[in-house]
Amino acid sequence: MSTTVFVTGATGFIAQQTIALLISKGYNVVGSVRSAAKGENLKKLHGPKFQYEIVPVLEERGAFDVALKNHPEVTVFLHTASPATFTAEDNEKEILNPAINGTKYALESVNKVAPQVKRFVYTSSLVAMATFEQLGDPSFEGGEDSWSPITYEEGKTNSLFAYLASKTLAEKAAWEFVKTKKPSFSLTVVNPVYVFGPQAKDEEAAGSLNLTAEIVASTLRLKKDDEIPQEAGHFVDVRDVARAHVVAFEKDEAKGQRIIVYTEKFSSQRILNIIRKNFPELRERLPIGKPENVDLSGLANLQNVKSRKLLGFEQRSLEDSVVSAVKQSLRVNA
Ligand code: NAP
């Protein structure tokens, strides 16, 4: 009988690629969603090996109890659901609380209701490992062993800080949980950098995309005289993040590890250069910017040797990722 994997936040950009990969590898998947309409849509997209459970409010104690009781066959739990946004009216209610308490309560539910679960994977972020200032400092040497010093109080002050604090404090809470409660599952944390790439299903690629996929989508929408955005940072393709989630529970060596999923540095100019090179038909409409202006040596060099070794697969380049996302967008929005 094949293993059944529970994936929270099944509608998400990363979750859907992970679900598609899991199903292609023969796993059964139970996804949690916030409404039946979202669940039915995913069932249509992912087929009979996908089932869903409705968990409307993450940050409620016992939120996953019923879903887990309904699926005693689940032995792996991937917690990807979290507010991935930099805008909120109430930072605590909309970002900090669902992320931090949502993670604590998911761990609690699994520990209490699903003792057969052996692996718990939490989707954290690079932002739990370093501040934005550190990530923009070439002398910064953090990564797998470092922590952002951001506090809950700072997180309350604006929505960007709320997101940064939410990921840091939720991950800390997860490690604290396993240290103090000694559950029968082991914890692995996946720390992605900026995630780009195609949606798992073309049907999900129309309209507004999640925050990071939008970085490529908005570059594609630029007009000839537009300013080039100043985005720059560390990149990974979403299909590699999906693979990292699978490695995180398939490999014994991943138990108790933080896995950075990072491939190469990006900037808006680099993304634009890739689009102009690969899609000559778009050159007339797009700006040029300064194509030679692609020096990213000012960004931090992340310490991720252990993670690369653990992942053990060749990661997709920024070029591959951008070309795949743009092809999908042109196909869907034609
Ligand atoms: P996404 O597409 O926005 O997906 C977020 C998922 O979380 C959706 O399923 C969403 O459900 C669910 N969710 C958000 N707020 C919720 C709440 N209050 N209660 C219940 N469910 C909630 O984002 P993503 O990029 O795939 O992110 C997935 C995970 O990866 C997040 O934990 C994020 O922090 C982390 N991550 C992402 C990146 C990146 O670059 N994208 C980088 C590092 C880490 P609905 O569809 O119902 O809203």
Side-chain angles (χ1 to χ4, degrees):
M1 217 178 74
S2 57
T3 301
T4 301
V5 181
F6 196 102
V7 181
T8 71
T11 49
F13 175 47
I14 292 173
Q16 285 214 50
Q17 284 285 5
T18 306
I19 291 166
L21 178 62
L22 286 167
I23 290 173
S24 76
K25 292 186 68 145
Y27 289 101
N28 296 316
V29 177
V30 178
S32 72
V33 290
R34 291 203 257 191
S35 70
K38 290 182 182 186
E40 288 301 316
N41 180 46
L42 290 183
K43 250 173 95 158
K44 239 184 352 212
L45 295 175
H46 293 281
K49 284 179 86 69
F50 177 84
Q51 302 172 72
Y52 71 89
E53 286 288 328
I54 301 169
V55 179
V57 185
L58 264 186
E59 62 276 26
E60 223 170 60
R61 191 156 241 147
F64 290 96
D65 286 5
V66 173
L68 286 168
K69 278 184 191 149
N70 287 343
H71 294 281
E73 72 280 17
V74 166
T75 55
V76 176
F77 191 96
L78 310 185
H79 183 44
T80 81
S82 206
T85 177
F86 296 161
T87 48
E89 278 176 16
D90 183 331
N91 296 320
E92 278 193 281
K93 196 161 158 235
E94 294 168 47
I95 302 181
L96 289 158
N97 191 15
I100 302 167
N101 285 330
T103 302
K104 280 189 203 162
Y105 297 156
L107 286 154
E108 251 180 41
S109 279
V110 174
N111 195 30
K112 188 175 72 179
V113 175
Q116 78 285 359
V117 168
K118 294 289 166 262
R119 307 293 290 258
F120 188 113
V121 179
Y122 169 61
T123 314
S124 182
S125 168
L126 176 66
V127 302
M129 297 170 152
T131 62
F132 273 0
E133 291 72 33
Q134 288 170 323
L135 295 174
D137 174 0
S139 68
F140 177 67
E141 290 189 341
E144 284 143 352
D145 299 323
S146 61
W147 282 98
S148 162
I150 196 161
T151 63
Y152 191 89
E153 286 309 307
E154 286 168 318
K156 287 198 295 192
T157 60
N158 69 56
S159 301
L160 170 63
F161 283 8
Y163 179 74
L164 305 180
S166 79
K167 297 310 292 179
T168 307
L169 301 176
E171 190 193 328
K172 282 189 173 166
W175 288 119
E176 184 61 24
F177 183 92
V178 289
K179 198 169 129 201
T180 55
K181 304 283 187 228
K182 308 216 177 330
S184 51
F185 55 78
S186 53
L187 174 68
T188 302
V189 172
V190 176
N191 299 75
V193 299
Y194 279 88
V195 184
F196 303 155
Q199 307 298 313
K201 305 286 173 183
D202 277 5
E203 290 84 341
E204 302 285 281
S208 71
L209 303 178
N210 87 316
L211 204 63
T212 51
E214 250 319 299
I215 294 177
V216 174
S218 61
T219 309
L220 182 61
R221 286 196 296 270
L222 289 174
K223 299 279 179 316
K224 197 138 203 81
D225 297 322
D226 286 344
E227 289 281 311
I228 316 301
Q230 296 299 305
E231 298 277 5
H234 302 83
F235 144 87
V236 67
D237 184 86
V238 64
R239 293 160 291 185
D240 290 335
V241 180
R243 289 177 82 176
H245 280 80
V246 174
V247 168
F249 74 81
E250 279 186 342
K251 285 196 180 174
D252 269 354
E253 317 87 271
K255 290 179 181 173
Q257 300 296 323
R258 305 173 88 193
I259 307 175
I260 300 183
V261 264
Y262 160 56
T263 308
E264 60 178 295
K265 296 170 184 170
F266 82 92
S267 66
S268 301
Q269 183 68 55
R270 277 197 185 188
I271 295 172
L272 183 62
N273 291 355
I274 291 169
I275 301 176
R276 291 184 59 87
K277 173 182 155 206
N278 289 279
F279 300 91
E281 70 277 21
L282 300 177
R283 281 185 204 148
E284 267 307 293
R285 188 202 14 99
L286 287 168
I288 296 178
K290 296 198 173 88
E292 66 293 347
N293 197 357
V294 287
D295 176 20
L296 296 173
S297 55
L299 293 170
N301 297 306
L302 303 174
Q303 301 301 309
N304 67 333
V305 175
K306 201 166 62 179
S307 302
R308 280 272 182 151
K309 191 157 170 257
L310 189 55
L311 291 171
F313 57 81
E314 200 179 320
Q315 295 174 201
R316 291 173 187 270
S317 65
L318 179 66
E319 181 155 4
D320 174 335
S321 186
V322 170
V323 168
S324 304
V326 171
K327 275 189 182 160
Q328 183 179 54
S329 173
L330 296 177
R331 193 163 64 235
V332 169
N333 298 309

